Amino acid sequence: MSERSRSFGAVASAYERFRPGYSRELVDEVLAYARGPVRTALEIGAGTGKATRVFAARGIAVTATDPDPEMLAELRRHVPSSVTTVEAAFEDLPLDTTYDLVYAAASLHWTEPTGRWPRAAALLRGGGTFASFGGPYCLADDHVQALEDAARRRFLPEDDRGSPDGTPSEDPMQWPGTELERSGLFTEVRQKVLVRRFTQPASEYVDHLTTVSYYLQLPEPTRSEAFAAILAALPDTVAIEADTILHLARVAEEPIRG
């Protein structure tokens, strides 16, 4: 997991170019949920700053953290100077400062499960908000997805879809909401899906795949061969599902007892 989590630096510029950003609607949802004004925020695994910039644009003092110096270097090219950057993994962050908001944008699954929630709670002021958001960037048509899967299996026999904690996809509460509810450290756990669907050239979809760690583990030239095979299998234009799944929770003032 750790090796894959630190594979993005080599494709930092592609990540910035081909990964989608986040909407103002997302920030609206987070700020509407928060109890009181959000003046400070800590971002876990900020990457190239896709989420950093939309929160900073609201006047929030964001501390953006990431263990990869190349990703942070790319982030600094795109965010305002008011953003503080810290080169560190979530597990290595000091616990001497608290924030109104702690959030993770498509990065929480890279953190270590052991101690995740006590650490997140310790970084929040009393009543502060935790937010995690991300979601699929995948082919919306099952038949077309099957074409991609068949091409991919020549190079990577397994896929890495599925919940980190094994929650079935049909359950109403998905991860990390499930863990937040079980932690005893957070309350008022909410889940909301912000729908985003569109079409794009298949070549642009494959461009996005070039930033996915699942493929970055392949050596060259195998990786390029895999992308070429997938592109050849797809129609010229593909429908994309890129919903943002938002989880919100409030750090409990007192431990929650069952």
Side-chain angles (χ1 to χ4, degrees):
M1 178 74 80
S2 178
E3 182 179 347
R4 283 181 61 184
S5 70
R6 300 187 186 221
S7 64
F8 298 106
V11 293
S13 61
Y15 193 104
E16 172 59 29
R17 182 178 177 186
F18 300 128
R19 288 287 183 113
Y22 293 97
S23 67
R24 288 179 293 180
E25 180 187 5
L26 170 71
V27 184
D28 290 341
E29 292 286 343
V30 174
L31 297 185
Y33 173 90
R35 183 176 292 160
V38 175
R39 298 186 178 91
T40 61
L42 177 76
E43 182 173 6
I44 302 167
T48 66
K50 294 286 187 176
T52 317
R53 62 200 77 174
V54 292
F55 282 92
R58 298 297 182 92
I60 299 169
V62 178
T63 297
T65 72
D66 199 281
D68 192 314
E70 293 176 273
M71 294 293 272
L72 282 180
E74 186 69 29
L75 176 147
R76 293 185 189 102
R77 297 185 182 101
H78 304 282
V79 303
S81 59
S82 60
V83 171
T84 300
T85 58
V86 176
E87 184 184 327
F90 174 60
E91 295 76 16
D92 298 327
L93 293 173
L95 302 179
D96 56 358
T97 303
T98 59
Y99 302 84
D100 299 324
L101 168 68
V102 172
Y103 70 91
S107 63
L108 191 67
H109 57 292
W110 296 123
T111 63
E112 291 293 332
T114 302
R116 176 188 287 145
W117 301 118
R119 174 167 283 272
L123 287 163
L124 282 163
R125 64 164 176 77
T129 297
F130 177 83
S132 176
F133 45 91
Y137 190 103
C138 60
L139 299 166
D141 185 289
D142 289 343
H143 170 69
V144 179
Q145 183 64 66
L147 296 176
E148 178 191 346
D149 291 344
R152 184 208 71 239
R153 278 193 291 269
R154 292 168 47 196
F155 306 91
L156 286 167
E158 305 293 333
D159 67 42
D160 67 348
R161 291 185 286 255
S163 170
D165 69 349
T167 301
S169 60
E170 63 271 16
D171 282 15
M173 179 61 75
Q174 290 293 301
W175 184 89
T178 47
E179 285 189 3
L180 284 160
E181 289 181 329
R182 292 193 299 263
S183 72
L185 298 168
F186 292 86
T187 186
E188 300 177 59
V189 179
R190 297 183 189 173
Q191 174 179 290
K192 183 166 186 174
V193 178
L194 307 179
V195 176
R196 186 183 183 195
R197 309 292 168 88
F198 54 91
T199 60
Q200 67 179 174
S203 60
E204 293 182 8
Y205 172 70
V206 174
D207 284 339
H208 177 270
L209 295 183
T210 68
T211 72
V212 175
S213 67
Y214 183 52
Y215 292 95
L216 293 177
Q217 65 186 303
L218 289 172
E220 287 290 8
T222 306
R223 191 189 315 162
S224 294
E225 292 170 2
F227 294 141
I230 291 169
L231 182 59
L234 298 178
D236 291 342
T237 302
V238 294
I240 300 296
E241 176 184 330
D243 299 347
T244 300
I245 305 169
L246 169 64
H247 288 93
L248 292 161
R250 204 178 315 283
V251 68
E253 301 283 358
E254 299 290 341
I256 302 168
R257 307 191 186 280

